[in-house]
Amino acid sequence: MKISLVTDIGQKRSNNQDFINKFDNKQGITLVILADGMGGHRAGNIASEMTVTDLGREWVNTDYTELSQIRDWFLISLENENKKVYELGQTDEFKGMGTTVEALAIVDNNVIYAHVGDSRIGLLRHGEYQLLTSDHSLVNELVKAGQLTEEEAAKHPQKNIITQSIGQANPVEPDLGVQMLEENDYLIINSDGLTNMITNDEIVEILNQDKNLDEKNKELVSLANDRGGLDNITIALIHVESEEV
């Protein structure tokens, strides 16, 4: 299994409020964490970096290999981090800061993931892109209620308002899922700076190119920047390689 991580400031932002990293625990189980921070010029990047780094620091000291253990760890650790970010966000310097988070642990051919906010996890299988997460956003709630179409949601002036984040006053309720992986599957984990700029079909097209994983990742970032790069762009690509390789 190959993993490629990339983050880019984009074309319009003065700083990068996204943060991404990967960590291995004592049993060699890899955890990938992506966070897209929000809340003022400085606070957003503090929230995202803090969340990724705190969770990673905890993860490396675990020896979990069971999906049920990792599920419970996600629930406890994300709520602990939610409280920590919320408390810091009560201070003047970090007023109202928060962050999205996507956390994925790879166990053999399974990925277990936790999702909070409007960053995304997608699966590419047999040339088809499938979104595994559902945005915790105001417009997505309206789409699910039948009050907006997907097209209207994409252009909605309030599309950036999220309904859950790490750093909120209430307990966080992450969406959890398990996905079995097959040979040649790709997982695409990204901040909205990618999917607001390019289509799922374009993601598929780039991943189908005859290039290595890092080159495909750079190509995704380049296309988002060519389209305007209105936000920070952060992506993790995970590729299940074929047996012969």
Side-chain angles (χ1 to χ4, degrees):
M1 204 167 296
K2 281 248 171 76
I3 300 174
S4 172
L5 310 180
V6 68
T7 187
D8 188 272
I9 195 169
Q11 300 295 304
K12 302 294 183 187
R13 297 294 172 100
S14 57
N15 68 340
N16 193 345
Q17 300 199 341
D18 291 357
F19 203 82
I20 190 168
N21 211 341
K22 66 184 176 74
F23 307 87
D24 292 342
N25 76 359
K26 290 177 179 176
Q27 296 295 324
I29 303 294
T30 298
L31 179 74
V32 175
I33 316 170
L34 179 151
D36 177 355
M38 68 209 88
H41 182 69
R42 178 165 143 72
N45 63 308
I46 298 294
S48 59
E49 182 174 350
M50 186 170 130
T51 295
V52 172
T53 306
D54 286 348
L55 292 171
R57 194 183 292 125
E58 269 190 58
W59 180 252
V60 298
N61 291 315
T62 70
D63 55 6
Y64 301 140
T65 57
E66 300 292 325
L67 295 179
S68 58
Q69 293 174 313
I70 299 169
R71 176 189 177 278
D72 292 346
W73 182 83
F74 277 156
L75 290 170
I76 293 163
S77 301
L78 288 170
E79 180 50 30
N80 288 341
E81 194 62 25
N82 179 50
K83 287 176 182 162
K84 187 173 171 182
V85 174
Y86 173 74
E87 280 164 20
L88 192 57
Q90 299 310 295
T91 62
D92 285 345
E93 193 178 359
F94 304 115
K95 204 69 176 167
M97 74 175 183
T99 184
T100 74
V101 70
E102 307 300 320
L104 302 88
I106 304 161
V107 184
D108 299 323
N109 283 333
N110 288 299
V111 164
I112 180 167
Y113 58 87
H115 158 75
V116 178
D118 66 351
S119 296
R120 291 180 171 180
I121 303 171
L123 172 71
L124 173 60
R125 176 175 291 167
H126 307 315
E128 295 283 321
Y129 177 95
Q130 177 194 352
L131 184 59
L132 299 181
T133 54
S134 179
D135 293 353
H136 295 143
S137 67
L138 179 62
V139 294
N140 196 40
E141 294 298 326
L142 294 172
V143 169
K144 289 194 284 191
Q147 294 177 29
L148 281 182
T149 66
E150 294 280 359
E151 293 73 25
E152 288 167 338
K155 300 187 186 76
H156 201 280
Q158 292 178 309
K159 64 186 296 230
N160 290 330
I161 296 177
I162 63 174
T163 54
Q164 272 213 83
S165 63
I166 299 294
Q168 65 187 28
N170 296 328
V172 72
E173 295 178 21
D175 293 341
L176 299 171
V178 175
Q179 176 65 48
M180 282 191 70
L181 297 177
E182 298 177 3
E183 200 175 288
N184 209 34
D185 280 354
Y186 287 89
L187 283 170
I188 308 100
I189 304 99
N190 62 273
S191 60
D192 63 351
L194 179 73
T195 35
N196 284 343
M197 293 288 109
I198 73 175
T199 66
N200 294 341
D201 287 345
E202 288 168 329
I203 292 173
V204 171
E205 198 177 306
I206 287 171
L207 292 182
N208 282 335
Q209 290 177 1
D210 187 19
K211 294 181 175 177
N212 71 36
L213 203 60
D214 287 336
E215 288 170 337
K216 290 175 182 181
N217 222 345
K218 285 177 188 156
E219 188 95 8
L220 289 168
V221 170
S222 293
L223 183 55
N225 275 325
D226 289 347
R227 292 282 165 76
L230 300 180
D231 200 352
N232 311 138
I233 306 150
T234 302
I235 313 164
L237 293 180
I238 299 171
H239 183 217
V240 185
E241 295 184 301
S242 55
E243 301 289 333
E244 311 85 74
V245 172

